[in-house]
Coordinates of all heavy atoms in Angstrom, one line a residue:
M1 N 30.7 69.9 -82.4 CA 30.3 70.3 -81.1 C 28.8 70.6 -81.0 O 28.3 71.3 -81.9 CB 31.1 71.5 -80.6 CG 30.8 71.9 -79.2 SD 32.0 73.2 -78.7 CE 31.9 73.0 -77.0
P2 N 28.1 70.0 -80.0 CA 26.6 70.2 -80.0 C 26.3 71.6 -79.6 O 27.1 72.3 -78.9 CB 26.2 69.2 -78.9 CG 27.4 68.9 -78.1 CD 28.5 69.1 -79.0
P3 N 25.1 72.1 -80.0 CA 24.7 73.5 -79.5 C 24.7 73.6 -78.0 O 24.4 72.6 -77.3 CB 23.3 73.6 -80.1 CG 23.1 72.5 -81.1 CD 24.1 71.5 -80.8
I4 N 24.9 74.7 -77.5 CA 25.0 74.9 -76.0 C 23.7 74.5 -75.3 O 23.7 74.0 -74.2 CB 25.4 76.3 -75.7 CG1 25.8 76.4 -74.2 CG2 24.3 77.3 -76.0 CD1 26.6 77.6 -73.8
A5 N 22.6 74.7 -76.0 CA 21.3 74.4 -75.4 C 21.1 72.9 -75.0 O 20.4 72.5 -74.2 CB 20.1 74.8 -76.3
T6 N 21.9 72.1 -75.7 CA 21.8 70.6 -75.5 C 22.7 70.2 -74.3 O 22.5 69.1 -73.8 CB 22.1 69.8 -76.7 OG1 23.4 70.1 -77.1 CG2 21.1 70.1 -77.8
I7 N 23.6 71.0 -73.9 CA 24.5 70.6 -72.9 C 24.3 71.4 -71.5 O 24.9 71.0 -70.5 CB 26.0 70.7 -73.3 CG1 26.4 72.1 -73.7 CG2 26.3 69.7 -74.4 CD1 27.8 72.3 -74.0
V8 N 23.6 72.5 -71.5 CA 23.3 73.2 -70.3 C 21.9 72.8 -69.8 O 21.0 73.0 -70.5 CB 23.4 74.8 -70.6 CG1 23.0 75.5 -69.4 CG2 24.8 75.1 -71.1
P9 N 21.9 72.3 -68.6 CA 20.5 71.9 -68.1 C 19.7 73.2 -67.8 O 20.1 74.2 -67.4 CB 20.9 71.2 -66.8 CG 22.2 71.8 -66.4 CD 22.9 72.1 -67.6
R10 N 18.4 73.0 -68.1 CA 17.4 74.1 -67.9 C 17.0 74.1 -66.4 O 16.6 73.1 -65.9 CB 16.2 73.9 -68.7 CG 15.2 74.9 -68.5 CD 14.1 74.9 -69.6 NE 14.8 75.3 -70.8 CZ 14.2 75.7 -71.9 NH1 12.9 75.7 -71.9 NH2 14.8 76.0 -73.0
M11 N 17.2 75.2 -65.7 CA 16.9 75.3 -64.3 C 15.5 76.0 -64.1 O 14.9 75.8 -63.1 CB 18.0 76.0 -63.6 CG 19.3 75.3 -63.7 SD 20.7 76.2 -62.9 CE 20.1 76.2 -61.2
A12 N 15.1 76.9 -65.0 CA 13.9 77.6 -64.9 C 13.3 77.9 -66.2 O 14.0 77.8 -67.2 CB 14.2 78.9 -64.2
M13 N 12.0 78.1 -66.2 CA 11.2 78.3 -67.5 C 10.3 79.5 -67.3 O 9.7 79.7 -66.2 CB 10.4 77.1 -67.8 CG 11.2 75.8 -68.1 SD 10.2 74.5 -68.7 CE 9.4 74.0 -67.2
S14 N 10.1 80.2 -68.4 CA 9.1 81.3 -68.5 C 7.7 80.7 -68.5 O 7.5 79.5 -68.7 CB 9.3 82.1 -69.7 OG 9.1 81.3 -70.9
L15 N 6.7 81.5 -68.4 CA 5.3 81.1 -68.5 C 5.0 80.3 -69.8 O 4.4 79.2 -69.8 CB 4.4 82.3 -68.3 CG 2.9 82.0 -68.5 CD1 2.3 81.0 -67.5 CD2 2.1 83.3 -68.5
D16 N 5.5 80.9 -70.9 CA 5.2 80.2 -72.2 C 5.9 78.8 -72.3 O 5.3 77.9 -72.8 CB 5.7 81.1 -73.3 CG 4.8 82.3 -73.5 OD1 3.7 82.3 -73.1 OD2 5.3 83.3 -74.1
K17 N 7.1 78.7 -71.7 CA 7.8 77.4 -71.8 C 7.1 76.4 -70.8 O 7.1 75.2 -71.2 CB 9.2 77.6 -71.5 CG 9.9 78.5 -72.6 CD 11.3 78.0 -72.9 CE 11.9 78.6 -74.1 NZ 12.0 80.1 -74.2
V18 N 6.7 76.9 -69.7 CA 5.9 75.9 -68.8 C 4.7 75.4 -69.5 O 4.4 74.2 -69.4 CB 5.6 76.6 -67.4 CG1 4.7 75.7 -66.6 CG2 6.8 77.0 -66.7
A19 N 4.0 76.3 -70.1 CA 2.8 75.9 -70.9 C 3.1 74.9 -71.9 O 2.4 73.9 -72.1 CB 2.1 77.2 -71.4
I20 N 4.1 75.2 -72.7 CA 4.5 74.2 -73.7 C 4.9 72.9 -73.1 O 4.5 71.8 -73.6 CB 5.7 74.8 -74.6 CG1 5.2 75.9 -75.4 CG2 6.4 73.7 -75.4 CD1 6.3 76.8 -76.1
A21 N 5.7 72.9 -72.0 CA 6.1 71.7 -71.4 C 4.9 70.8 -70.9 O 5.0 69.6 -70.9 CB 7.1 72.0 -70.2
L22 N 3.9 71.5 -70.4 CA 2.7 70.8 -69.9 C 1.6 70.6 -70.9 O 0.6 70.0 -70.6 CB 2.1 71.6 -68.7 CG 3.0 71.8 -67.5 CD1 2.3 72.6 -66.4 CD2 3.4 70.4 -66.9
D23 N 1.9 71.1 -72.1 CA 0.9 70.9 -73.2 C -0.4 71.6 -72.9 O -1.5 71.0 -73.1 CB 0.7 69.5 -73.6 CG 0.1 69.3 -75.0 OD1 0.2 70.2 -75.8 OD2 -0.5 68.2 -75.2
V24 N -0.4 72.8 -72.3 CA -1.6 73.6 -72.0 C -1.3 75.0 -72.4 O -0.2 75.4 -72.8 CB -1.9 73.5 -70.5 CG1 -2.3 72.0 -70.1 CG2 -0.8 74.0 -69.6
S25 N -2.3 75.8 -72.2 CA -2.2 77.3 -72.5 C -1.5 78.0 -71.4 O -1.6 77.5 -70.2 CB -3.5 77.9 -72.8 OG -4.3 78.0 -71.6
P26 N -0.9 79.2 -71.6 CA -0.4 80.0 -70.5 C -1.5 80.3 -69.5 O -1.2 80.3 -68.3 CB 0.1 81.2 -71.2 CG 0.5 80.7 -72.6 CD -0.6 79.7 -72.9
N27 N -2.7 80.6 -69.9 CA -3.8 80.8 -69.0 C -4.1 79.6 -68.1 O -4.4 79.8 -66.9 CB -5.1 81.3 -69.7 CG -5.0 82.7 -70.2 OD1 -4.2 83.5 -69.7 ND2 -5.8 83.0 -71.3
S28 N -4.0 78.4 -68.6 CA -4.2 77.2 -67.8 C -3.1 77.1 -66.8 O -3.4 76.7 -65.6 CB -4.2 76.0 -68.7 OG -5.3 76.0 -69.5
V29 N -1.9 77.5 -67.1 CA -0.8 77.4 -66.1 C -1.1 78.4 -65.0 O -1.0 78.1 -63.8 CB 0.6 77.8 -66.8 CG1 1.7 78.0 -65.7 CG2 1.0 76.8 -67.8
L30 N -1.5 79.6 -65.3 CA -1.9 80.6 -64.3 C -3.0 80.1 -63.4 O -3.0 80.3 -62.2 CB -2.2 81.9 -65.0 CG -1.0 82.6 -65.7 CD1 -1.5 83.9 -66.4 CD2 0.1 82.9 -64.7
K31 N -4.0 79.5 -64.0 CA -5.1 78.9 -63.3 C -4.6 77.8 -62.3 O -5.1 77.7 -61.2 CB -6.2 78.4 -64.2 CG -7.4 77.9 -63.5 CD -8.5 77.5 -64.4 CE -9.7 77.0 -63.6 NZ -10.7 76.5 -64.4
M32 N -3.7 76.9 -62.8 CA -3.2 75.9 -61.9 C -2.4 76.5 -60.7 O -2.5 76.0 -59.6 CB -2.3 75.0 -62.7 CG -3.0 74.0 -63.6 SD -1.9 72.9 -64.4 CE -2.1 73.3 -66.1
V33 N -1.7 77.6 -61.0 CA -1.0 78.3 -59.9 C -2.0 78.8 -58.9 O -1.9 78.6 -57.7 CB -0.1 79.4 -60.4 CG1 0.4 80.3 -59.3 CG2 1.1 78.9 -61.3
E34 N -3.0 79.5 -59.4 CA -4.1 80.0 -58.6 C -4.8 78.9 -57.7 O -5.1 79.1 -56.5 CB -5.2 80.6 -59.5 CG -5.8 81.9 -59.0 CD -6.7 82.4 -60.0 OE1 -7.9 82.0 -60.0 OE2 -6.3 83.2 -60.9
E35 N -4.9 77.7 -58.3 CA -5.6 76.6 -57.6 C -4.6 75.8 -56.7 O -5.1 74.9 -56.0 CB -6.2 75.7 -58.6 CG -7.4 76.3 -59.3 CD -7.9 75.4 -60.4 OE1 -7.4 74.3 -60.7 OE2 -9.0 75.8 -61.0
G36 N -3.4 76.2 -56.7 CA -2.4 75.5 -55.9 C -1.9 74.2 -56.5 O -1.2 73.4 -55.8
L37 N -2.1 74.0 -57.7 CA -1.6 72.8 -58.4 C -0.2 72.9 -58.9 O 0.5 71.9 -59.1 CB -2.5 72.4 -59.6 CG -4.0 71.9 -59.2 CD1 -4.9 71.9 -60.4 CD2 -3.9 70.6 -58.4
L38 N 0.2 74.1 -59.1 CA 1.6 74.5 -59.5 C 2.1 75.5 -58.5 O 1.4 76.4 -58.0 CB 1.7 75.0 -60.9 CG 1.4 74.0 -62.0 CD1 1.4 74.7 -63.4 CD2 2.4 72.8 -62.0
P39 N 3.4 75.6 -58.3 CA 4.0 76.6 -57.4 C 4.0 78.0 -58.1 O 3.8 78.1 -59.3 CB 5.4 76.1 -57.2 CG 5.7 75.3 -58.5 CD 4.4 74.7 -58.9
R40 N 4.1 79.0 -57.3 CA 4.2 80.4 -57.8 C 5.5 80.5 -58.4 O 6.5 79.9 -58.0 CB 3.9 81.4 -56.7 CG 2.5 81.3 -56.1 CD 2.3 82.2 -54.9 NE 2.5 83.6 -55.3 CZ 1.6 84.4 -55.8 NH1 0.4 83.9 -56.1 NH2 1.9 85.6 -56.1
P41 N 5.6 81.4 -59.4 CA 7.0 81.6 -60.0 C 7.9 82.4 -59.1 O 7.5 83.1 -58.2 CB 6.6 82.4 -61.3 CG 5.4 83.2 -60.9 CD 4.6 82.2 -60.0
R42 N 9.2 82.3 -59.4 CA 10.2 83.2 -58.8 C 10.2 84.5 -59.6 O 9.9 84.5 -60.8 CB 11.6 82.5 -58.9 CG 11.6 81.1 -58.2 CD 11.3 81.2 -56.8 NE 11.2 79.9 -56.2 CZ 11.7 79.6 -55.0 NH1 12.3 80.5 -54.3 NH2 11.5 78.4 -54.5
V43 N 10.6 85.6 -59.0 CA 10.6 86.9 -59.6 C 12.0 87.5 -59.6 O 12.7 87.5 -58.6 CB 9.6 87.8 -58.9 CG1 9.6 89.2 -59.6 CG2 8.2 87.2 -58.9
W44 N 12.4 88.0 -60.8 CA 13.6 88.7 -60.9 C 13.3 89.9 -61.7 O 13.1 89.8 -62.9 CB 14.7 87.9 -61.6 CG 16.0 88.6 -61.7 CD1 16.7 89.3 -60.8 CD2 16.7 88.7 -63.0 NE1 17.9 89.8 -61.3 CE2 17.9 89.5 -62.7 CE3 16.5 88.3 -64.3 CZ2 18.8 89.8 -63.6 CZ3 17.5 88.6 -65.2 CH2 18.6 89.4 -64.9
G45 N 13.2 91.1 -61.1 CA 12.8 92.3 -61.8 C 11.3 92.1 -62.3 O 10.5 91.7 -61.5
R46 N 11.1 92.2 -63.5 CA 9.8 92.0 -64.1 C 9.6 90.6 -64.6 O 8.5 90.1 -65.0 CB 9.6 92.9 -65.3 CG 9.4 94.4 -64.9 CD 9.2 95.2 -66.1 NE 8.4 96.3 -65.8 CZ 8.0 97.2 -66.7 NH1 8.2 97.0 -67.9 NH2 7.2 98.2 -66.3
R47 N 10.7 89.8 -64.6 CA 10.7 88.5 -65.1 C 10.2 87.5 -64.1 O 10.6 87.5 -63.0 CB 12.1 88.1 -65.6 CG 12.2 86.8 -66.3 CD 13.0 86.9 -67.5 NE 12.8 85.7 -68.2 CZ 13.7 85.1 -69.0 NH1 14.8 85.7 -69.2 NH2 13.4 84.0 -69.6
K48 N 9.3 86.6 -64.5 CA 8.8 85.5 -63.7 C 9.3 84.2 -64.3 O 9.1 83.9 -65.4 CB 7.3 85.5 -63.6 CG 6.7 86.8 -63.0 CD 5.2 86.8 -62.9 CE 4.7 88.1 -62.3 NZ 3.3 88.1 -62.1
L49 N 9.9 83.4 -63.4 CA 10.4 82.1 -63.8 C 10.0 81.0 -62.8 O 10.0 81.2 -61.6 CB 11.9 82.1 -63.9 CG 12.5 83.1 -64.9 CD1 14.0 83.2 -64.6 CD2 12.3 82.6 -66.3
W50 N 9.6 79.9 -63.4 CA 9.3 78.7 -62.6 C 10.5 77.8 -62.6 O 11.1 77.5 -63.6 CB 8.1 77.9 -63.2 CG 6.8 78.5 -62.9 CD1 5.9 78.1 -61.9 CD2 6.1 79.6 -63.5 NE1 4.8 78.8 -61.9 CE2 4.9 79.8 -62.9 CE3 6.5 80.5 -64.6 CZ2 4.0 80.8 -63.3 CZ3 5.6 81.4 -65.0 CH2 4.4 81.6 -64.3
R51 N 10.9 77.3 -61.4 CA 12.0 76.4 -61.2 C 11.5 75.0 -61.7 O 10.5 74.5 -61.3 CB 12.4 76.3 -59.8 CG 13.1 77.6 -59.3 CD 13.6 77.4 -57.9 NE 14.7 76.4 -57.9 CZ 15.0 75.7 -56.9 NH1 14.3 75.8 -55.8 NH2 16.0 74.8 -56.9
V52 N 12.3 74.4 -62.6 CA 11.9 73.1 -63.2 C 11.8 72.0 -62.0 O 10.8 71.3 -62.1 CB 13.0 72.6 -64.2 CG1 12.8 71.2 -64.6 CG2 13.0 73.6 -65.4
V53 N 12.6 72.1 -61.0 CA 12.5 71.1 -60.0 C 11.2 71.2 -59.2 O 10.6 70.3 -58.7 CB 13.7 71.1 -59.0 CG1 15.0 70.6 -59.7 CG2 13.9 72.4 -58.3
E54 N 10.7 72.5 -59.0 CA 9.5 72.7 -58.3 C 8.3 72.3 -59.1 O 7.3 71.7 -58.6 CB 9.4 74.2 -57.9 CG 10.3 74.6 -56.9 CD 10.3 76.1 -56.5 OE1 9.6 76.8 -57.2 OE2 10.9 76.4 -55.5
I55 N 8.3 72.5 -60.4 CA 7.3 72.0 -61.3 C 7.2 70.5 -61.2 O 6.2 69.9 -61.1 CB 7.5 72.4 -62.8 CG1 7.4 74.0 -62.9 CG2 6.5 71.7 -63.7 CD1 6.0 74.5 -62.8
D56 N 8.4 69.8 -61.3 CA 8.5 68.4 -61.3 C 7.9 67.9 -59.9 O 7.2 66.9 -59.9 CB 9.9 67.9 -61.5 CG 10.0 66.4 -61.6 OD1 9.3 65.8 -62.4 OD2 10.9 65.8 -60.9
A57 N 8.3 68.5 -58.8 CA 7.8 68.1 -57.5 C 6.3 68.2 -57.4 O 5.6 67.4 -56.9 CB 8.5 68.9 -56.4
A58 N 5.7 69.3 -58.0 CA 4.3 69.5 -58.0 C 3.6 68.4 -58.8 O 2.6 67.8 -58.3 CB 4.0 70.9 -58.5
L59 N 4.1 68.1 -59.9 CA 3.5 67.1 -60.8 C 3.5 65.7 -60.1 O 2.6 64.9 -60.3 CB 4.2 67.0 -62.1 CG 4.0 68.2 -63.0 CD1 4.8 68.1 -64.3 CD2 2.5 68.4 -63.4
A60 N 4.6 65.4 -59.4 CA 4.7 64.2 -58.7 C 3.6 64.0 -57.6 O 3.2 62.9 -57.3 CB 6.0 64.0 -58.0
E61 N 3.0 65.1 -57.2 CA 1.9 65.0 -56.2 C 0.5 65.0 -56.8 O -0.4 64.7 -56.1 CB 2.0 66.2 -55.2 CG 3.3 66.3 -54.4 CD 3.4 65.1 -53.5 OE1 2.4 64.7 -52.9 OE2 4.5 64.5 -53.3
W62 N 0.4 65.2 -58.1 CA -0.9 65.1 -58.7 C -1.4 63.7 -58.7 O -0.6 62.7 -58.7 CB -0.8 65.6 -60.2 CG -0.6 67.0 -60.4 CD1 -0.2 68.0 -59.4 CD2 -0.7 67.7 -61.6 NE1 -0.1 69.2 -60.0 CE2 -0.4 69.1 -61.4 CE3 -1.0 67.3 -62.9 CZ2 -0.5 70.0 -62.4 CZ3 -1.1 68.3 -63.9 CH2 -0.8 69.6 -63.6
P63 N -2.7 63.5 -58.6 CA -3.2 62.1 -58.6 C -3.0 61.4 -60.0 O -2.9 62.1 -61.0 CB -4.7 62.3 -58.3 CG -5.0 63.7 -58.7 CD -3.8 64.5 -58.5
T64 N -2.9 60.1 -59.9 CA -2.8 59.4 -61.2 C -4.2 59.0 -61.7 O -5.1 59.0 -60.9 CB -1.9 58.1 -61.0 OG1 -2.5 57.3 -60.0 CG2 -0.5 58.5 -60.7
D65 N -4.3 58.7 -62.9 CA -5.6 58.4 -63.5 C -6.1 57.2 -62.8 O -5.4 56.2 -62.6 CB -5.4 58.0 -65.0 CG -6.7 57.9 -65.7 OD1 -7.7 58.4 -65.2 OD2 -6.7 57.1 -66.7
G66 N -7.4 57.3 -62.3 CA -8.0 56.2 -61.6 C -7.8 56.2 -60.1 O -8.3 55.4 -59.4
E67 N -7.0 57.1 -59.6 CA -6.7 57.2 -58.2 C -8.0 57.7 -57.4 O -8.7 58.5 -58.0 CB -5.5 58.2 -58.0 CG -5.0 58.2 -56.6 CD -3.7 59.1 -56.5 OE1 -2.8 58.9 -57.3 OE2 -3.7 59.9 -55.6
Q68 N -8.1 57.3 -56.2 CA -9.3 57.7 -55.4 C -9.2 59.2 -55.1 O -8.2 59.8 -55.1 CB -9.2 57.0 -54.0 CG -9.6 55.6 -54.0 CD -11.1 55.4 -54.3 OE1 -11.5 55.2 -55.5 NE2 -11.9 55.6 -53.4
Q69 N -10.4 59.8 -55.0 CA -10.5 61.2 -54.7 C -10.4 61.4 -53.2 O -10.5 60.5 -52.4 CB -11.9 61.7 -55.2 CG -12.1 61.7 -56.7 CD -13.4 62.3 -57.1 OE1 -14.3 62.3 -56.4 NE2 -13.4 62.7 -58.4
G70 N -10.1 62.7 -52.9 CA -10.0 63.1 -51.5 C -11.3 63.0 -50.7 O -12.3 62.8 -51.3
E71 N -11.2 63.3 -49.4 CA -12.4 63.2 -48.6 C -13.5 64.2 -49.0 O -14.7 63.9 -48.9 CB -12.1 63.5 -47.1 CG -11.2 62.4 -46.5 CD -10.8 62.8 -45.1 OE1 -11.4 63.8 -44.5 OE2 -9.9 62.2 -44.5
D72 N -13.1 65.3 -49.6 CA -14.1 66.3 -50.0 C -14.6 66.1 -51.4 O -15.3 66.9 -51.9 CB -13.5 67.7 -49.9 CG -12.2 67.9 -50.7 OD1 -11.8 66.9 -51.4 OD2 -11.6 68.9 -50.6
G73 N -14.2 65.0 -52.0 CA -14.7 64.7 -53.3 C -13.9 65.2 -54.4 O -14.1 64.9 -55.6
E74 N -12.9 66.0 -54.1 CA -12.0 66.6 -55.1 C -10.8 65.7 -55.3 O -10.4 65.0 -54.3 CB -11.6 68.0 -54.7 CG -12.7 69.0 -54.9 CD -12.1 70.4 -54.9 OE1 -11.0 70.6 -55.3 OE2 -12.8 71.3 -54.5
P75 N -10.2 65.7 -56.5 CA -9.0 64.9 -56.6 C -7.9 65.4 -55.7 O -8.0 66.6 -55.3 CB -8.6 65.1 -58.1 CG -9.6 66.0 -58.7 CD -10.6 66.4 -57.6
G76 N -7.0 64.6 -55.3 CA -5.9 65.0 -54.5 C -5.2 66.2 -55.1 O -5.1 66.3 -56.4
R77 N -4.7 67.1 -54.4 CA -4.1 68.3 -55.0 C -2.9 68.7 -54.2 O -2.8 68.4 -53.0 CB -5.0 69.5 -55.2 CG -5.7 70.0 -54.0 CD -6.6 71.2 -54.2 NE -6.5 71.7 -55.5 CZ -7.5 72.3 -56.1 NH1 -8.7 72.4 -55.5 NH2 -7.4 72.8 -57.3
W78 N -1.9 69.3 -54.8 CA -0.7 69.7 -54.2 C -0.8 71.2 -53.9 O -1.2 72.0 -54.7 CB 0.5 69.5 -55.2 CG 1.8 70.0 -54.7 CD1 2.6 69.3 -53.9 CD2 2.4 71.2 -55.0 NE1 3.8 70.0 -53.7 CE2 3.7 71.2 -54.3 CE3 2.1 72.3 -55.7 CZ2 4.6 72.2 -54.4 CZ3 3.0 73.4 -55.8 CH2 4.2 73.3 -55.1
D79 N -0.6 71.6 -52.7 CA -0.7 73.0 -52.3 C 0.7 73.5 -52.1 O 1.5 73.0 -51.3 CB -1.5 73.1 -51.0 CG -2.9 72.8 -51.2 OD1 -3.5 73.2 -52.2 OD2 -3.5 72.1 -50.3
A80 N 1.0 74.6 -52.8 CA 2.3 75.3 -52.6 C 2.4 75.9 -51.3 O 1.5 76.4 -50.7 CB 2.5 76.3 -53.7
D81 N 3.6 75.8 -50.7 CA 3.8 76.4 -49.4 C 3.9 77.9 -49.5 O 4.3 78.5 -50.4 CB 5.1 75.9 -48.7 CG 5.0 74.4 -48.4 OD1 3.9 74.0 -48.0 OD2 6.0 73.7 -48.5

């Protein structure tokens, strides 16, 4: 029987796991949240978790390599509601 981690889908991730998934530092994740490139985490008590589907939706809005920049000269960005 496979380990439970392989059969239960991940719905949310901690800061460290988001950083690992994006191949950046935890501080970079926090900066991306500050800049509106990633959504803010959900909060349960002291625990902060990012929904995997929200991270995926945010990444889908990021510009692709070689894509035109926005009117203000900055690359297109995703703003969290």
Side-chain angles (χ1 to χ4, degrees):
M1 180 172 205
I4 193 163
T6 61
I7 59 173
V8 177
R10 179 167 292 195
M11 296 177 66
M13 295 186 287
S14 66
L15 174 60
D16 289 337
K17 294 216 170 58
V18 172
I20 290 168
L22 296 177
D23 197 24
V24 298
S25 71
N27 284 338
S28 291
V29 171
L30 295 175
K31 185 175 180 186
M32 286 185 243
V33 169
E34 218 175 87
E35 293 175 354
L37 293 169
L38 290 177
R40 296 177 58 82
R42 304 297 174 137
V43 180
W44 179 52
R46 292 180 149 186
R47 187 136 190 206
K48 294 181 181 184
L49 297 170
W50 279 261
R51 293 184 64 210
V52 172
V53 295
E54 290 178 350
I55 295 287
D56 188 51
L59 292 175
E61 296 298 321
W62 288 14
T64 57
D65 189 26
E67 192 173 308
Q68 284 293 95
Q69 294 183 338
E71 291 176 16
D72 56 3
E74 287 197 29
R77 57 178 356 148
W78 178 83
D79 292 318
D81 292 327

